[in-house]
Amino acid sequence: MDFNGSGGGNELHNNQFYPSEESKPLLGEISAQQPPPPEGNNNHKAGPCSKRSLLHSSSGMRYKLLQEGDIQVCMVKHPRTFLSKIFTSKYLRRWEPHHLALTDSSLVSATPTGYMEAPLSYSTIEDLQLLSWDNAPKYCVQLSFPGGTVLLQAANSYLRDQWFHSIQWKKKIYKYRKVLNNPSRWDVVLKEIRALVDMALTSPLQDDSIHQAPLHIISTLLAENTNLSAQDYENIIVAIAPLLENNHPPPDLCEFFCQHCRERPRSMVVIEVFTPVVQRILKHNMDFGKCPRLRLFTQEYILALNELNAGMEVVKKFIHSMHGPTGQCPHPRVLPNLVAVCLAAIYSCYEEFINSRDNSPSLKEIRNGCQQQSERKPPMPLRLLRPEPPTEILPPTPPPTTTLEILVELERNNNTTNTLRKAPAEGDSEPNLIDCLLVSPALNALSIQLPAHANRVLGCFALILKMLSDYDDWRPALASLLQPIPFPKEELKYVIQRFAEDPRQEVHSCLLSVRSGKDGWFQLYSPGGVACDDDGELFASMVHILMGSCYKTKKFLLSLAENKLGPCMLLALRGNQTMVEILCLMLEYNIIENKDTQLQIISTLESTQVGLRMYEQLCDRQRELKELQRKGGPTRLTLPSKSTDADLARLLSSGSFGNLENLSLAFTNVTSACAEQLIKLPSLKQLNLWSTQFGDAGLRLLSEHLACLQVLNLCETPVTDAGLLSLSSMKSLCSLNMNSTKLTADTYEDLKAKLPNLKEVDVRYTEAW
């Protein structure tokens, strides 16, 4: 198809025309109205085909950007002879159906035949018009090119307008791409960038690419022209700012923004332009792994804020603005995104250390105490390092047990000597972040020395984690995010203290390790742990909050006795009341089997006034327990309704109940606290807790001490899956009533699988029913 022909015009070209698009500014709308008829000429008649201005107006119509579609095509060449003019008249026109694709440079037909045998380049389109016939319901778009016209006929006016705006957008983007790929004068380039941004903002098309395409064009322009002045850079950033209000910057543009934050952190552009962009990223980003440069940009922006005169006060105000003035942050993605940025920044500090170990001992040398330069091996690449392209650093998940890693645990024996326990590994394994940070404070000569810049970065983002821990609504999620990746940095001690002071179980339970065999915050800050620098004060606080919750169990006490008995005795010797209580419970629950160890614990308790007092109370309770468990007394017992925990304790202290097998507390006011009394009944087989306030904490205690229980009624109690799951250890249960509880179907299936003797189950009015 020849697009370069010339000749006389036909009826489409003899009528009045809209101004040519080439004669208008690049951003000018081609919706100029037809000139009015001359004054006094009231006999002006419309021709057979009258053109109207049917473009986007204030009606607010929006269209999706077309990439391809079916449409009728007709080509009309400029006639050169009278005969050709007859053949191109409207009565002899031929329409062809085509499936057209709107590529970046041209209109292309899926079946390149007939009128669309060759692609129609956007550069050859001189004008773009909407057409409408008064005497026929045809909806056409007119594309004028040198030598003729192409008509595109749609099924309705909406599709016609959609084709018109899509082709118009593609044509203009194509033209802007060519203009900005060969810049000459930067004042002209800046003017074209502003026009491009205005075009994207005023376009009636609604599509992600409408705003992303201009950003990609500008990022390409910046990548190819690196010799611009700082003022030129700032002018470009200000020009594209309106596009960034509702769109994430593309990766190349993020790199440019990062560079600007590093080189000009005090620029007003950082505050005025980058702040809303970063706020949008933190509120709406779902996965930094898909675009890690968004995370890098956010990190550099925060560091730029830290470089201002007010420093961390500005950062604190920014964090507060992200949380909002209310007690509950309305944006659930803000906290995970901030934590991801902080952890990645902290990781980058040690990443630089590991990659620049020329004059520093390697991590394995630190473990083995090797100080000779000749014994060192060449540095090995660190896991998760990818120079190009950058990858997202997400919070690490616990490694599987088969991973060949160096697992180091610092333990102090009675002679205060340090021993290192290392899991077997074949050959040299790569150090990871936790290995890098788990360095014994005793090895002062070989401690990690970070560069000054890395120390500033570490301090900044550690302080941000401290800020996050001060918000009550963020603390549960923050504890959960930090639980799998404990690392002993002094800057994070405040965060752990906040977790240890929070009475909510979902917060302080994250102090424990995420799985057995892996150290958590609790282990790191225990006396002898790699992060303990306060003689165990924080450790005692953690034990206190855990014991006050639902961890007053044999399992928890047994783990303390096996791993932390020495620190517990030392703190008890210094008068710590929590540790004195721990030692008394170990004696009361017969956790310690060794007689010499028992005598040592008793001596420790008797060495302080608080310990002596609590040990005497323990002896009194033991005498009462022996009297209570002495054979005799009733086999069945029912407490009156409205009885309380104190009433039950008073009753059980009045005589012997060694034969008690059936106890009914139905419709009383007892709570989980009465479990302390119930576990003293050695012969108890049937327990009725119907319509009481007995909860999950009590169930956990019963499951560890009443292994012979056969019948349990929990109907209309506030127990949940968290407590019901602990019943799986009570293998003697044959009847269980969970009617009207918060039991779920999954927990019910789990209990059925783990309780082989369970014959009678009532799950009515629960999710499992």
Side-chain angles (χ1 to χ4, degrees):
M1 180 170 58
D2 182 14
F3 294 110
N4 298 318
S6 61
N10 62 4
E11 60 181 340
L12 292 176
H13 292 79
N14 289 332
N15 290 327
Q16 292 176 322
F17 280 90
Y18 298 103
S20 172
E21 188 177 358
E22 298 296 335
S23 65
K24 292 175 288 185
L26 197 54
L27 245 214
E29 289 289 342
I30 61 172
S31 58
Q33 300 294 327
Q34 284 186 347
E39 280 190 48
N41 186 5
N42 297 328
N43 297 323
H44 179 77
K45 295 182 180 179
C49 173
S50 62
K51 295 173 285 295
R52 306 177 194 168
S53 177
L54 301 171
L55 306 183
H56 175 68
S57 63
S58 59
S59 60
M61 291 292 290
R62 290 291 183 265
Y63 310 92
K64 181 175 177 60
L65 178 64
L66 280 174
Q67 300 296 340
E68 58 181 340
D70 295 320
I71 199 166
Q72 297 286 326
V73 179
C74 177
M75 195 216 23
V76 181
K77 290 187 178 180
H78 293 171
R80 303 184 182 183
T81 65
F82 179 76
L83 185 61
S84 61
K85 190 170 184 178
I86 294 176
F87 286 139
T88 57
S89 65
K90 67 175 183 178
Y91 301 104
L92 299 178
R93 287 177 197 155
R94 179 170 54 89
W95 294 88
E96 295 179 353
H98 283 273
H99 184 85
L100 298 185
L102 283 72
T103 66
D104 290 338
S105 59
S106 61
L107 276 171
V108 181
S109 174
T111 55
T113 58
Y115 295 145
M116 298 302 296
E117 183 177 358
L120 177 59
S121 174
Y122 299 134
S123 61
T124 64
I125 300 177
E126 296 177 343
D127 197 10
L128 199 61
Q129 304 287 344
L130 288 173
L131 299 181
S132 177
W133 278 263
D134 291 332
N135 55 357
K138 292 185 178 180
Y139 307 96
C140 292
V141 178
Q142 174 184 320
L143 311 179
S144 300
F145 62 91
T149 300
V150 172
L151 299 178
L152 304 179
Q153 180 178 316
N156 52 57
S157 60
Y158 182 86
L159 284 176
R160 177 202 56 194
D161 293 349
Q162 188 177 18
W163 275 95
F164 171 80
H165 290 296
S166 298
I167 296 174
Q168 183 189 51
W169 169 261
K170 290 283 187 178
K171 173 177 169 55
K172 289 188 175 182
I173 283 293
Y174 174 75
K175 190 169 186 177
Y176 275 116
R177 190 176 287 113
K178 290 184 63 178
V179 170
L180 296 178
N181 276 348
N182 300 291
S184 55
R185 295 171 49 192
W186 280 101
D187 55 341
V188 176
V189 168
L190 186 60
K191 183 178 179 181
E192 295 292 347
I193 289 176
R194 289 171 180 156
L196 173 61
V197 171
D198 288 341
M199 182 190 73
L201 293 175
T202 57
S203 173
L205 295 172
Q206 276 190 330
D207 194 272
D208 292 340
S209 61
I210 298 303
H211 289 165
Q212 289 297 324
L215 292 176
H216 281 290
I217 291 174
I218 296 169
S219 63
T220 303
L221 172 69
L222 294 172
E224 295 175 353
N225 297 271
T226 57
N227 56 348
L228 296 179
S229 65
Q231 189 59 45
D232 288 335
Y233 280 138
E234 290 200 358
N235 290 337
I236 293 175
I237 293 174
V238 172
I240 65 176
L243 282 181
L244 298 173
E245 292 180 0
N246 297 311
N247 300 274
H248 291 339
D252 293 340
L253 207 54
C254 285
E255 189 66 29
F256 168 67
F257 289 168
C258 290
Q259 179 182 349
H260 190 82
C261 288
R262 287 190 294 266
E263 295 177 354
R264 304 197 66 187
R266 295 175 179 266
S267 168
M268 289 306 297
V269 168
V270 174
I271 299 294
E272 296 177 357
V273 178
F274 290 168
T275 297
V277 179
V278 174
Q279 287 177 336
R280 174 179 171 79
I281 292 173
L282 292 175
K283 289 178 181 178
H284 301 288
N285 177 68
M286 298 302 295
D287 185 6
F288 277 130
K290 294 180 179 178
C291 189
R293 295 190 187 183
L294 287 177
R295 190 261 306 157
L296 289 173
F297 168 49
T298 305
Q299 175 181 327
E300 293 294 343
Y301 166 79
I302 293 176
L303 290 174
L305 293 184
N306 193 37
E307 293 294 326
L308 299 178
N309 291 335
M312 287 306 298
E313 285 299 320
V314 181
V315 177
K316 185 175 182 180
K317 290 180 180 178
F318 173 73
I319 298 298
H320 181 71
S321 70
M322 296 307 305
H323 179 274
T326 62
Q328 190 75 23
C329 178
H331 304 285
R333 290 300 310 168
V334 169
L335 178 65
N337 286 334
L338 278 174
V339 173
V341 170
C342 292
L343 293 178
I346 293 173
Y347 180 91
S348 68
C349 298
Y350 295 94
E351 182 180 49
E352 294 174 7
F353 160 75
I354 294 174
N355 288 338
S356 59
R357 289 181 294 169
D358 296 337
N359 299 319
S360 302
S362 68
L363 197 58
K364 183 173 287 188
E365 291 165 1
I366 291 176
R367 300 296 189 218
N368 297 332
C370 171
Q371 303 184 31
Q372 298 181 8
Q373 183 74 22
S374 59
E375 297 180 13
R376 299 181 189 163
K377 297 182 180 180
M380 300 176 60
L382 180 66
R383 183 182 296 108
L384 297 180
L385 296 188
R386 299 289 186 273
E388 283 294 331
T391 55
E392 174 56 19
I393 306 300
L394 294 176
T397 55
T401 55
T402 57
T403 303
L404 297 179
E405 294 181 348
I406 302 174
L407 302 177
V408 180
E409 179 181 347
L410 181 68
E411 296 180 345
R412 294 181 180 175
N413 55 21
N414 295 332
N415 298 326
T416 67
T417 59
N418 299 327
T419 59
L420 295 178
R421 183 181 62 199
K422 182 172 66 176
E426 299 179 4
D428 296 327
S429 61
E430 299 174 348
N432 57 20
L433 174 61
I434 306 305
D435 286 332
C436 181
L437 293 170
L438 287 179
V439 179
S440 169
L443 302 173
N444 295 325
L446 297 176
S447 61
I448 295 177
Q449 298 295 329
L450 295 178
H453 172 71
N455 274 325
R456 288 197 299 271
V457 173
L458 181 62
C460 174
F461 288 97
L463 283 174
I464 290 178
L465 290 176
K466 290 174 62 176
M467 297 175 193
L468 299 180
S469 67
D470 287 332
Y471 292 95
D472 290 340
D473 59 316
W474 275 353
R475 204 173 299 134
L478 179 62
S480 178
L481 290 169
L482 294 181
Q483 182 184 16
I485 45 173
F487 46 96
K489 293 308 296 177
E490 181 181 357
E491 294 86 350
L492 292 179
K493 185 176 180 180
Y494 175 85
V495 179
I496 307 308
Q497 287 175 333
R498 297 292 288 166
F499 294 165
E501 295 168 357
D502 198 300
R504 290 171 292 183
Q505 179 190 342
E506 63 267 28
V507 177
H508 58 249
S509 63
C510 293
L511 296 170
L512 300 175
S513 59
V514 71
R515 61 178 174 84
S516 59
K518 178 178 175 62
D519 284 351
W521 298 105
F522 182 76
Q523 287 77 19
L524 294 184
Y525 283 93
S526 64
V530 295
C532 181
D533 59 356
D534 57 0
D535 294 330
E537 292 182 7
L538 179 56
F539 173 73
S541 299
M542 291 191 283
V543 172
H544 176 75
I545 193 69
L546 291 172
M547 289 297 296
S549 179
C550 57
Y551 290 93
K552 200 173 184 178
T553 62
K554 278 187 176 180
K555 184 178 179 181
F556 182 60
L557 293 172
L558 186 60
S559 66
L560 287 178
E562 291 178 350
N563 302 312
K564 303 298 176 184
L565 181 59
C568 290
M569 294 176 62
L570 178 62
L571 291 173
L573 190 62
R574 295 173 178 174
N576 186 283
Q577 186 168 348
T578 300
M579 293 305 164
V580 170
E581 181 184 357
I582 290 290
L583 295 182
C584 289
L585 288 173
M586 288 180 181
L587 293 176
E588 185 173 1
Y589 292 163
N590 295 321
I591 301 296
I592 307 299
E593 297 180 356
N594 186 279
K595 296 298 181 182
D596 292 335
T597 305
Q598 290 180 1
L599 292 175
Q600 186 178 356
I601 291 176
I602 294 174
S603 300
T604 301
L605 293 173
E606 291 177 340
S607 62
T608 61
Q609 290 185 353
V610 61
L612 180 60
R613 184 180 70 254
M614 295 186 71
Y615 179 64
E616 291 175 350
Q617 294 174 356
L618 170 63
C619 294
D620 293 339
R621 290 199 304 272
Q622 291 293 95
R623 283 191 291 270
E624 294 174 0
L625 179 62
K626 288 183 180 180
E627 178 64 24
L628 172 66
Q629 295 180 345
R630 188 168 54 86
K631 291 297 182 181
T635 58
R636 301 175 63 89
L637 183 63
T638 301
L639 254 67
S641 61
K642 307 301 181 183
S643 298
T644 63
D645 297 331
D647 297 328
L648 176 63
R650 192 178 300 109
L651 176 64
L652 294 182
S653 63
S654 62
S656 299
F657 293 90
N659 293 338
L660 185 61
E661 297 181 355
N662 189 322
L663 175 61
S664 176
L665 303 176
F667 306 104
T668 63
N669 294 330
V670 297
T671 66
S672 295
C674 74
E676 295 282 353
Q677 306 296 327
L678 298 179
I679 61 176
K680 299 175 182 179
L681 302 172
S683 303
L684 190 62
K685 296 181 180 179
Q686 300 180 29
L687 178 60
N688 187 352
L689 296 168
W690 188 359
S691 191
T692 64
Q693 296 303 310
F694 199 87
D696 294 336
L699 280 185
R700 290 191 182 95
L701 203 56
L702 294 184
S703 65
E704 289 198 340
H705 295 270
L706 296 181
C708 296
L709 197 65
Q710 298 177 1
V711 179
L712 180 59
N713 188 345
L714 299 171
C715 179
E716 297 181 8
T717 58
V719 294
T720 66
D721 286 347
L724 292 170
L725 282 172
S726 63
L727 299 179
S728 59
S729 62
M730 305 178 72
K731 305 299 182 181
S732 299
L733 273 179
C734 56
S735 177
L736 181 59
N737 188 339
M738 297 176 285
N739 187 319
S740 303
T741 63
K742 297 180 180 179
L743 172 73
T744 63
D746 291 340
T747 300
Y748 177 53
E749 294 298 327
D750 187 72
L751 288 175
K752 287 197 302 182
K754 294 180 179 179
L755 297 176
N757 296 322
L758 197 59
K759 306 299 182 184
E760 299 178 4
V761 185
D762 188 349
V763 294
R764 289 176 296 172
Y765 308 107
T766 67
E767 182 185 310
W769 187 27

